[in-house]
Structures are given as structure tokens and as C-alpha cells.
Amino acid sequence: MTEVTDRGLVVVTGAGGFIGGHLVGELRRLGYGAVRAVDVKPLDEWYQVFPGTDNRVLDLRRPDACAEAASGAREIYNLACDMGGMGFIETHKAECMLSVLINTHMLMAARDAGCERYFYSSSACVYAAGKQTRPDVEPLKENDAYPAMPEDGYGWEKLFSERMCRHFYEDFGLETRFARYHNVYGPHGTYDGGREKAPAAMCRKVIAAQIDGASDIEVWGDGQQTRSFMYIDDCLFGTRVLMASDIREPLNIGSDELVTINQLLDIVEDIAGRKFKRRYNLTAPKGVRGRCSDNTLIQEKLGWAPTIRLRDGMEKTYRWIYDQMAMPAARRRAYV
């Protein structure tokens, strides 16, 4: 895809987080001259900070903060929300639902600022739970979100915010795009503290066992639940292509490489060169029994789908987390 660098001001919210930080870096590498990065966290808690970027610490639950973030923007990528892995979203449903304030106020601010395009990061958690009850799950198509019965809390907020994006186009002419991300992973993200997702958690557990000399690790559930995991580079490319397209309907952006949690751990152990005894915690948060992305529509609409193999992405993720865990705490934040 040919890059057009003279796009005016591009705003990325959630820029102190995992996907947002990578997106800011990608836009800067591609030559976007004016990028504003926004996050609620103090700057020294951002995962990546880039020189020459307009970095702002703002609480986007507030309308005035959203107006400041959107001022002068030609494009907005809204990735800001309160979220984490299954251990977080199953126990913080109200907090996840409150993220609706961010998208509500950002949409209003984008409209009022005359923004030309607005991207919203939705999630595979919008899909009906009844279609995800078996490990050998049928890949989820975009129309499987209705009749609606999404992940309680987080999934409902995402599905509602999708509808808001749609109606802001219909009522106000704001060009909105939204993608349903499926389990994005990679370096420069959360790997401990309760918000981490399965790929990072597995890396952390194996690395910690190596460092501590432990012989076993804990696995949430029975290890037979299935997921697909998408490497960050595929996520970034798909997001930018979708934003530049004329597709106003939701699209899956996710891998269709289905694995069990046990197989994910097999991959991490192979990278580490160590095997561990597995303790299965059947009372831990597990989420749906199976989930995988159907990429038929994105192939049809964009002529592309994620292709990076899980083993290749996990190798890079593992190496980054290992370096973080092995180095002194004061040096762990990545400033580029």
C-alpha cells in the first residue's frame, strides 16, 4: 500500500498501551509528520514513547479531554479503553463498561472537530457466547455477533460502541471504521499484574519458572480451551488498510490459526528449551471454550488476512519478555 504522508494531524488514543504504542511507532516510521499520542497513564508508565510526537496525558472519560485530544485532527485511531486478559475482564465488568464514556465523548469530539476518519478498536468478545461453547469451534463470522450475547461487561461495551460508530456515520457523516481484534500479542506490552493475555502470561510463567528453578507452572482451565492469536505486526497492517478503505462494516482482524492453550504452552516451552509439569487450575477465569477468526470477509473486502505464524510471533514475544524480566526494574520501560 502506497503511503501518503501529508495526512494532517493523526491522533492515537491509548497510545501508552500495547497496540497504541506500536501504532504510533508505525505511523512515525511511515513518515506521518503530525502525530498526537494520548493516554491516561503518566508518561513514565507508557510502554513506548517516541520523540517528535505530541504526547498528552488526558483522561478521555471527560468530554473536555476528548475535545483537546481531537482538536485539529484529520484522523483519529481510538484504542483507549479499560481492559486486559480474561483474569481482568471477568472481575472488572463495570470498569470495562465505563469505557463507553471514552468512545462516546471521542466520537462527539471528532464530529465537532471536523475529523475526516475515525477508527474504533472493537473485539472478538462481541461474539455470541452460544457460538463458542466447544474447543473445535466454527470460526466466527462477522454476522455471528447477532442475536447479541457478547462477553458480559467488556463485550457489551464493545458491541454498543460499534453501533455508535455506525450511527455517527449515518447521522453526522463521520467516516467510521471498526475492527474486531482477536487476541493481539507481541513485545512492548503487559506480561504481569493481572491484565496480561494468554501469550504473554505463558511466556512470563515459563521464564519465571526458569529463573526460580521451579519444576511446574499453573495453567488456567484444563488447557483444552482454544483460541487464535494475532501478532502485532499483522494487527497494525490490517488496521491501517481498513482505515484507508471504504469499508464501513465491522471486520475481523485476527489469525485463523486455532490452538489449544496446551499447544500455546508447548510452543513457549519449545522456545525456552524446557518442559514443565502443568498444574491445571479449574477455578481460574477461562472465558469461552473456543474462539477463532473467520477471515473470509476480510479476504474478500481487502484482499488480505493475517499471515504471521504463531511460533514466529511467540519467539519475538518471549525474547522481549525474557529481557524485561532479566534486567533491573529501572531499565524495563522502552523509550525509543
Side-chain angles (χ1 to χ4, degrees):
M1 184 174 68
T2 302
E3 289 300 329
V4 179
T5 57
D6 184 18
R7 302 182 72 96
L9 175 63
V10 179
V11 174
V12 178
T13 71
F18 167 50
I19 301 175
H22 278 282
L23 180 58
V24 171
E26 181 79 349
L27 295 175
R28 296 307 307 269
R29 283 188 289 271
L30 291 169
Y32 286 63
V35 179
R36 178 178 297 149
V38 181
D39 202 283
V40 69
K41 296 186 292 295
L43 200 62
D44 62 1
E45 294 182 11
W46 291 25
Y47 282 103
Q48 300 184 78
V49 177
F50 297 89
T53 302
D54 178 8
N55 299 309
R56 303 196 187 188
V57 177
L58 297 169
D59 183 350
L60 297 178
R61 292 168 295 189
R62 297 172 54 90
D64 58 337
C66 291
E68 179 181 337
S71 177
R74 182 176 293 181
E75 295 183 354
I76 295 173
Y77 290 85
N78 182 20
L79 283 73
C81 67
D82 201 356
M83 61 86 66
M86 194 52 60
F88 180 82
I89 66 175
E90 281 198 1
T91 56
H92 296 76
K93 294 184 176 67
E95 292 174 51
C96 290
M97 288 289 288
L98 285 172
S99 293
V100 73
L101 296 174
I102 299 173
N103 195 53
T104 301
H105 296 143
M106 280 304 302
L107 279 167
M108 295 170 67
R111 176 200 61 191
D112 296 345
C115 179
E116 295 179 7
R117 293 208 170 198
Y118 181 98
F119 174 85
Y120 176 67
S121 57
S122 187
S123 166
C125 288
V126 304
Y127 285 113
K131 295 182 178 291
Q132 304 172 79
T133 58
R134 298 170 48 182
D136 57 341
V137 63
E138 286 290 322
L140 293 162
K141 297 180 172 63
E142 284 78 359
N143 59 12
D144 287 331
Y146 295 95
M149 187 52 67
E151 184 77 38
D152 199 10
Y154 180 73
W156 277 110
E157 186 277 321
K158 289 294 186 183
L159 192 61
F160 177 78
S161 290
E162 284 188 7
R163 303 293 290 191
M164 288 187 64
C165 289
R166 169 182 165 179
H167 297 316
F168 263 71
Y169 166 70
E170 294 169 343
D171 291 1
F172 306 118
L174 176 61
E175 288 285 355
T176 56
R177 306 288 183 266
F178 39 104
R180 292 172 181 165
Y181 289 156
H182 287 246
N183 293 310
V184 189
Y185 73 98
H188 298 288
T190 301
Y191 59 87
D192 61 5
R195 291 178 182 262
E196 67 277 12
K197 295 189 176 182
M202 287 301 182
C203 290
R204 186 202 74 240
K205 290 178 180 182
V206 168
I207 293 165
Q210 287 182 297
I211 293 173
D212 298 339
S215 61
D216 63 342
I217 61 173
E218 181 184 75
V219 177
W220 287 6
D222 63 6
Q224 295 305 312
Q225 61 269 40
T226 55
R227 295 291 188 275
S228 63
F229 301 99
M230 173 176 55
Y231 190 64
I232 183 64
D233 289 1
D234 273 336
C235 175
L236 297 176
F237 184 80
T239 297
R240 293 190 298 104
V241 172
L242 176 57
M243 182 65 142
S245 77
D246 60 358
I247 309 302
R248 299 190 183 100
E249 60 193 292
L251 282 184
N252 285 331
I253 298 184
S255 171
D256 57 6
E257 182 183 353
L258 185 69
V259 296
T260 66
I261 296 301
N262 278 330
Q263 289 170 331
L264 175 65
L265 181 51
D266 289 341
I267 290 172
V268 178
E269 289 178 327
D270 182 61
I271 294 168
R274 288 280 305 279
K275 299 290 287 186
F276 296 91
K277 181 180 178 181
R278 303 176 185 187
R279 291 181 286 107
Y280 293 102
N281 183 351
L282 302 182
T283 65
K286 298 175 286 293
V288 296
R289 192 62 174 157
R291 177 180 291 159
C292 188
S293 178
D294 185 299
N295 289 342
T296 303
L297 190 60
I298 193 171
Q299 286 275 17
E300 174 188 324
K301 297 291 186 179
L302 299 181
W304 173 86
T307 58
I308 296 173
R309 293 190 317 142
L310 180 59
R311 177 61 170 74
D312 296 336
M314 287 300 293
E315 174 91 32
K316 296 176 182 178
T317 305
Y318 178 91
R319 301 302 175 199
W320 182 81
I321 295 174
Y322 186 93
D323 289 344
Q324 298 299 298
M325 294 178 67
M327 73 170 61
R331 296 178 53 217
R332 287 180 185 171
R333 295 298 175 188
Y335 293 92
V336 185

